[in-house]
Amino acid sequence: MRAVRKHTDCPWALLYIERWLKAPVQMEDGSLVAREKGTPQGGVISPLLANLFLHYAFDVWMRRNHPGIPFERYADDAICHCRSEAQARRLRELLAERFAECGLMLHPEKTQIVYCKDDDRRGDYPDQKFDFLGYTFRPRLARRWRVVQSRSQQQSPQGDKARASVLDASAAQ
């Protein structure tokens, strides 16, 4: 509610959001179970509140404490781009601490360090693919294309009349 109050002072919005957060959960048998924390699963306000909470718990914290590590976050999924395995391991430790301070925890099976293999990074590590927002990111064979100027074009003052040839470089390993 503290984060919500930073963005609105509308008494009706605050009243209904607080009611959503405090409302008990109704089980299949009709019994009511009091909720002590979190947002109602499947509730209309849940994605909004989760985004707002993670904005302060993660986004702002990352920008303030780790400005050299770019990241993307969508809802409760995030990717942090570290330069080394050591940096990634340390960031995971720090994120676990930060989330614990905020009453959250990293999902032990979904939180992983993945090696992004490409032409410049040719190491061999067990985890080289991951899913994010419905896409699987993995190493793949790619061809590099480049434009090469012909010798006559380099010497010709008539650059617009000269020709360039496109050559296929060797396939990526």
Side-chain angles (χ1 to χ4, degrees):
M1 287 304 297
R2 190 171 74 208
V4 173
R5 285 188 186 93
K6 277 187 159 189
H7 294 273
T8 186
D9 59 356
C10 175
W12 290 106
L14 295 170
L15 173 72
Y16 283 110
I17 291 171
E18 195 161 2
R19 284 182 180 176
W20 266 316
L21 292 173
K22 291 181 179 178
V25 176
Q26 185 170 12
M27 306 307 283
E28 286 184 21
D29 65 1
S31 63
L32 296 177
V33 177
R35 199 173 55 249
E36 296 176 22
K37 61 181 180 177
T39 61
Q41 185 70 26
V44 295
I45 197 70
S46 296
L48 175 74
L49 293 177
N51 251 344
L52 186 60
F53 188 79
L54 284 172
H55 170 73
Y56 293 106
F58 178 77
D59 302 350
V60 172
W61 182 84
M62 280 292 293
R63 286 188 196 105
R64 184 177 56 239
N65 295 292
H66 303 283
I69 300 178
F71 67 90
E72 294 82 34
R73 184 182 62 79
Y74 183 83
D76 62 349
D77 292 328
I79 297 174
C80 300
H81 303 275
C82 297
R83 295 194 174 276
S84 68
E85 182 179 5
Q87 184 184 44
R89 289 191 185 287
R90 180 68 181 138
L91 181 62
R92 184 170 57 184
E93 290 171 12
L94 293 171
L95 281 171
E97 291 172 13
R98 170 63 178 164
F99 276 35
E101 290 171 6
C102 298
L104 301 171
M105 76 180 222
L106 297 174
H107 193 289
E109 294 168 11
K110 292 182 180 179
T111 304
Q112 56 185 331
I113 295 174
V114 176
Y115 181 74
C116 295
K117 187 174 186 171
D118 65 10
D119 281 350
D120 299 323
R121 294 181 294 263
R122 298 177 184 218
D124 193 24
Y125 289 85
D127 294 321
Q128 295 184 19
K129 69 176 185 172
F130 63 94
D131 294 329
F132 185 65
L133 303 179
Y135 292 93
T136 297
F137 294 84
R138 61 180 174 78
R140 63 181 179 84
L141 182 64
R143 294 182 181 265
R144 289 191 177 188
W145 294 84
R146 60 184 158 151
V147 175
V148 178
Q149 292 180 324
S150 67
R151 177 170 277 213
S152 62
Q153 181 182 7
Q154 293 171 358
Q155 297 171 348
S156 170
Q158 305 142 344
D160 59 328
K161 293 181 183 176
R163 297 183 181 194
S165 58
V166 177
L167 301 177
D168 177 16
S170 62
Q173 296 289 326

